[in-house]
Amino acid sequence: DVTFNPDGSAVVRVERTLSIDGGKVYEDTPKTDRGRRALSVTGDAVGILRDSQARQKLESTARLRFRGHPYQVTPYVFTSAAGTRWRPDNLRRPMSRLCKAAGVPVLTPHKLRHTFTSGLAAAGVPVEVLSEHLGHSSANVTREFYRHVFDAERAGLTYNPLGDETAPAPEPQRITVKVKRLSAKTASSNTPSAAPMTRPSKSKGRV
């Protein structure tokens, strides 16, 4: 459920889930009410959605066949070469190849939610905001199961009450003050003249 906006962004509404039970794929609704949500998408993610839409239109008009199966027009965002919906386990194979090529442990696509949560939380995004975005029933679920602490976050947490004694002392700053010298002529002209002194007059009468 994708809606493209005129400003170049898109809104993805999460209304359904895709699961496997006994080898069969079935659709269902999200497990919680908070699972039904709308996500704002920008940047490269919008480009991926538009490219997928354009590819589906091209393949549907070409009437391609995949391994003897005719192309099927379906309403799904991401489809197989035959136009059918992806199975959740179909994504594990390319994910495994990508992990091996990157030299990291092999993870499932679902683990990307853990990486997304931990990376943004380490960058300062509140867990409550991430919980709403992920559709969890509460922030405690996000905090307990999805928020993983990186080693880099714990580095340098030792408290030193005396401060860093090894840090170099700051260099004293020099302040330059310009003084304008006045000439004798200018100084005398600007100096207020003193009032002339007068003697007190003597009284002629007696008190």
Side-chain angles (χ1 to χ4, degrees):
D1 298 298
V2 179
T3 302
F4 294 103
N5 297 324
D7 61 356
S9 64
V11 175
V12 178
R13 300 195 63 84
V14 181
E15 300 287 350
R16 292 164 287 184
T17 60
L18 200 65
S19 305
I20 297 180
D21 186 14
K24 295 182 178 181
V25 181
Y26 67 95
E27 288 187 9
D28 201 355
T29 57
K31 293 182 292 186
T32 63
D33 292 337
R34 291 181 64 180
R36 294 176 177 268
R37 61 200 186 279
L39 306 177
S40 178
V41 180
T42 59
D44 293 339
V46 179
I48 294 174
L49 294 175
R50 288 193 176 278
D51 290 344
S52 179
Q53 184 185 56
R55 181 182 59 82
Q56 289 175 347
K57 290 181 178 180
L58 179 63
E59 292 177 350
S60 62
T61 55
R63 300 182 182 274
L64 299 177
R65 298 181 66 88
F66 179 73
R67 295 180 180 178
H69 300 285
Y71 189 88
Q72 300 180 28
V73 179
T74 60
Y76 296 98
V77 175
F78 299 105
T79 56
S80 67
T84 58
R85 63 187 178 188
W86 278 93
R87 292 170 56 96
D89 51 356
N90 289 145
L91 298 177
R92 294 181 181 179
R93 289 190 291 271
M95 184 75 177
S96 177
R97 292 194 297 268
L98 289 173
C99 290
K100 291 178 180 179
V104 299
V106 176
L107 303 174
T108 62
H110 181 77
K111 291 295 184 180
L112 293 175
R113 287 168 61 88
H114 294 248
T115 305
F116 173 85
T117 305
S118 302
L120 289 184
V125 179
V127 174
E128 294 79 8
V129 177
L130 294 172
S131 180
E132 289 280 349
H133 195 73
L134 295 169
H136 291 160
S137 58
S138 68
N140 291 332
V141 175
T142 310
R143 188 177 295 107
E144 183 175 358
F145 298 105
Y146 286 78
R147 173 56 166 118
H148 306 283
V149 178
F150 298 110
D151 292 337
E153 295 181 82
R154 300 174 55 198
L157 289 181
T158 303
Y159 174 66
N160 185 4
L162 300 180
D164 190 0
E165 298 179 355
T166 61
E171 297 183 0
Q173 297 182 355
R174 293 185 176 182
I175 301 177
T176 303
V177 179
K178 293 184 179 181
V179 179
K180 184 178 181 181
R181 295 181 177 275
L182 300 177
S183 62
K185 180 178 180 181
T186 305
S188 60
S189 62
N190 293 337
T191 303
S193 58
M197 297 182 63
T198 57
R199 291 178 176 273
S201 59
K202 294 183 178 181
S203 177
K204 296 182 178 180
R206 294 182 177 180
V207 179

